[in-house]
Amino acid sequence: MPALLRPALEPFLDLLRCPVCRGSLRPDRGALRCATGHTFDIARQGYVSLLTGTRATSGDDTAMVQARNRFLSTGRYAPIRRTLARLTADALPGRGTVVDVGCGTGYYLAGVLDQLPDARGLGLDASVCALRSAARAHQRAAAASWDVFRPFPLVDQAADVVLDVFAPRNPSEFHRVLRPSGRLIVVRPTERHLAELRGHLPAMVTIDPDKEQRLQQALGPFFEAAVTRHVAYTAPLTRQEAIDLLGMTPSARHLTHADLGAHGLLPDQVTVSVLATSYQPR
């Protein structure tokens, strides 16, 4: 039986474009199809598969998604989500469209939409495993598979707010799909983020000390920083939460099962330290 078009996806049909020919897309027997005939299946979980040709090589696998869902459900990252929601509400006080690029399981987009009852959201991610959760994360959130490094399958000036939370960035495309009055909100870690875990596990991916400078250089031609919030606190961790926190990060690809499960090596608390900046288009 063909997958049905989810109600959350329908409002985005006017904003989505065929990634092959840039034509408009319309629903047709469990898929989206352009006038030329390019067809993109709607998965039974509700997301639409827009990636074509060579697939993205990044993205969370099943184990990472399961770890992410378990950890985020503990509320340890809730202060980050609340800060993101406040910044979005300041940029979008009424109706509007939020696009979350690299949305993962949809945790942050859902938190934003909870605070914006008149907004709609679209999550883009390369991970099919993550999109299965993102498509069901919120009743006003749609989801589609996409690679952040390719031109987005969206019309110009489609979004009022673009979110980028712990995700890769494509500044020129962020700028293209944002309305002139819109905002780009970027959340990224500081050098202190998860310092205790990195101290216990040297194999973890480190945070480049020049990361912030490179971010500003990349965004500078397109955006100007409007406001920045530093979210910093110490969170307690159970042993399972520590394992899940490691398992949901890019470090999971570099750590062995012995690293993740070694007795006595995991801390019982961790520093959370991220910057959240709202940028206005130049």
Side-chain angles (χ1 to χ4, degrees):
M1 179 181 295
L4 297 176
L5 181 70
R6 289 193 71 231
L9 184 57
E10 187 170 2
F12 284 95
L13 293 180
D14 288 341
L15 301 182
L16 288 171
R17 285 295 178 265
C18 171
V20 179
C21 68
R22 306 299 293 178
S24 299
L25 294 170
R26 288 293 178 264
D28 183 14
R29 293 173 292 179
L32 296 184
R33 192 184 310 271
C34 70
T36 308
H38 301 121
T39 303
F40 308 93
D41 292 338
I42 299 172
R44 60 182 178 83
Q45 293 89 352
Y47 67 89
V48 58
S49 298
L50 292 179
L51 276 173
T52 59
T54 303
R55 299 290 178 172
T57 56
S58 61
D60 295 354
D61 60 23
T62 299
M64 292 175 71
V65 169
Q66 290 172 344
R68 186 178 302 278
N69 277 329
R70 285 193 302 267
F71 181 80
L72 293 177
S73 71
T74 68
R76 302 300 191 206
Y77 274 10
I80 300 174
R81 186 161 77 160
R82 287 195 295 268
T83 297
L84 182 65
R86 285 195 294 269
L87 286 173
T88 306
D90 290 343
L92 181 59
R95 298 177 62 87
T97 299
V98 180
V99 176
D100 187 357
V101 180
C103 67
T105 59
Y107 172 78
Y108 294 103
L109 181 57
V112 165
L113 294 178
D114 278 343
Q115 299 301 313
L116 296 170
D118 296 321
R120 58 182 177 175
L122 173 67
L124 302 176
D125 202 278
S127 168
V128 168
C129 300
L131 288 170
R132 292 168 184 160
S133 295
R136 301 169 184 265
H138 197 281
Q139 62 182 359
R140 284 182 277 115
S145 63
W146 196 246
D147 182 350
V148 65
F149 298 111
R150 304 187 194 186
F152 299 166
L154 293 166
V155 299
D156 294 351
Q157 300 182 16
D160 296 284
V161 176
V162 170
L163 306 178
D164 184 277
V165 185
F166 303 125
R169 289 171 284 274
N170 189 334
S172 62
E173 279 299 283
F174 289 166
H175 191 272
R176 181 184 68 80
V177 302
L178 263 176
R179 297 192 174 101
S181 60
R183 291 293 185 272
L184 165 67
I185 303 177
V186 178
V187 177
R188 68 279 189 196
T190 74
E191 290 184 69
R192 286 293 302 159
H193 188 58
L194 309 185
E196 295 83 354
L197 283 173
R198 290 199 303 276
H200 281 75
L201 296 165
M204 278 189 69
V205 174
T206 59
I207 296 174
D208 183 350
D210 297 326
K211 183 181 181 72
E212 194 66 18
Q213 181 180 357
R214 289 190 291 104
L215 171 67
Q216 304 313 327
Q217 289 175 343
L219 294 181
F222 304 97
F223 294 96
E224 179 180 0
V227 60
T228 296
R229 298 284 183 259
H230 184 197
V231 184
Y233 58 94
T234 300
L237 289 179
T238 66
R239 179 174 178 75
Q240 185 58 53
E241 288 168 1
I243 292 172
D244 286 338
L245 180 53
L246 287 166
M248 76 184 214
T249 69
S251 294
R253 299 187 179 94
H254 306 279
L255 298 171
T256 67
H257 289 293
D259 291 327
L260 294 175
H263 180 70
L265 287 182
L266 300 178
D268 59 6
Q269 64 178 25
V270 71
T271 297
V272 177
S273 178
V274 305
L275 295 174
T277 301
S278 179
Y279 296 88
Q280 58 191 26
R282 290 189 186 277

